[in-house]
Amino acid sequence: MTEQPIPYAKQWITRDDIHGVCEILESSFLTTGPVIEQFENKLCELTQARHAIVCANGTAALHLACLALGITDNDLGVTSPNSFLSSANCIEFCGGRTDFIDIDPLTLCMSPESLETYCREKAVPRVVIPVDFSGIAADLPRFKSLSQTYGFYIIEDAAHAIGSTYTIEGKRFACGSCAHSDMAIFSFHPAKTITTGEGGAILTNDDALAKRLRTLRTHGMIRSKDQNQGQSSANASANIIDNTKEAPWYYEMKTLGCNYRITDFQCALGLSQLDRLPQFKARRNQIVSLYNKAFQANTHLILPPKELASEACPHLYPLQFKKGEKSRLAIYNALQSRDIHCQVHYIPIYWQPYYADKYGYAKGKCPRAETYYSRTLSLPLYPAMTDDQVQNVIDAVLSNA
Ligand SMILES: Cc1ncc(COP(=O)(O)O)c(C=O)c1O
């Protein structure tokens, strides 16, 4: 029998998932129906955040979060260079200026020390977007404490971290709880821990932000039944007398929003997937343990931050090859030839021509993120991976490392 290709990530869809989706396809509402709220409620239950607003994808979630904070022309936002483009692009979408804070090589997340130095010596951003890289919580309590000193907003990019937790003084918090942030976001892309096809969510404990996010998700529109959401205007529009304002069909747009809605059938898939999150988390951790056990004695390898990972629902397994770029490429190709498909997370975002050209960012800006990038490879990690497939990956890595 020929071996199945092993991708770096893969969704796990069951009959129950399919049944859940089909039930909605046969119902009255494909979008803006009741399943949206059911999924949102379940995300609140999981994270203990007061509000969840589901939307089209994780990028839209980050964009909405920045819009809701009022990020605008030339506002400074900072994020980790070790992330997907969206963590930075959301600031640019709003006309803001984006800068990058180097990572802590132990956590691979934004370094609180580097952020503090930046605030003290360079500038205080309006928004800080730490990323829970690979499913391990960024040091959110430290960021929160810095935000109290310097007065910036925090959006936790938890796209990798649904199901992960962190503990402070004996108290456990879910990634996405917003206990130490203004908002948090999840992504439900198929490579992530649970999927809705495309999808995302914003979480917050702030009632006003939640209202704004819901309005911005749907064109900035307020319907007559929700009229008290808007602020009365002292502008030219106040002179437009519309006698239909009390009518049931009436709607009004006071701010520019987007259509970032998600469908009910996607949320049905999300609800069904959330039921299996504990199973996904357990299996992901099992695979990580198998990898760690196999690789820990090899002095050419640097394991992912395992001592911090006890509470993580791991999304990635970023293994570093101390011999550097050449060795990483050789191993990537050797695995590829065995139909084992790895990925690299991430090229430092400021190396992208858009950022380098716009801001003059150059090589050497965030040396720790660059060193990490030069030697990392994300090995396959998904819950439906069999032990035999895990062993194939281990054998291929060890015979080439
Ligand atoms: C850290 C991070 N943030 C944001 C996103 C954006 O999520 P989406 O692909 O759902 O737009 C991703 C997706 O890859 C991500 O990895």
Side-chain angles (χ1 to χ4, degrees), residues 367-385:
R368 298 187 295 265
E370 293 184 12
T371 301
Y372 158 77
Y373 165 64
S374 70
R375 53 195 192 191
T376 192
L377 204 55
S378 298
L379 300 189
L381 177 59
Y382 50 93
M385 234 180 138

Side-chain angles (χ1 to χ4, degrees), residues 57-60 62 83-84 86-87 131 157 159-160 185 187-189 192 198-199 346:
N57 52 59
T59 307
L62 283 164
S83 187
F84 186 59
S86 317
S87 312
V131 180
D157 183 340
H160 295 184
I185 72 98
S187 161
F188 307 127
H189 181 275
K192 301 297 192 292
E198 294 280 358
Y346 288 99

Side-chain angles (χ1 to χ4, degrees), residues 12-22 268-269 272-273 276:
W12 187 354
I13 302 294
T14 61
R15 286 280 127 204
D16 280 349
D17 292 335
I18 294 167
H19 180 71
V21 172
C22 289
L269 178 55
S272 176
Q273 290 257 304
R276 296 208 308 294

Side-chain angles (χ1 to χ4, degrees), residues 226-237:
D226 304 318
Q227 265 308 302
N228 58 357
Q229 281 196 9
Q231 289 152 5
S232 62
S233 166
N235 300 332
S237 62

Side-chain angles (χ1 to χ4, degrees), residues 69 71 74-79 91 97-101 110 114-130 143 146-147 149-154 182:
L69 290 178
I71 300 302
N74 287 321
D75 279 345
L76 176 64
V78 300
T79 189
I91 301 162
R97 285 176 294 131
T98 309
D99 208 348
F100 299 88
I101 306 293
M110 185 193 287
S114 298
L115 177 64
E116 179 159 31
T117 307
Y118 186 95
C119 290
R120 215 178 36 239
E121 295 180 359
K122 221 166 168 185
V124 176
R126 266 204 85 200
V127 63
V128 174
I129 307 181
F143 292 122
L146 287 173
S147 80
T149 307
Y150 290 100
F152 51 72
Y153 293 112
I154 301 176
D182 297 283

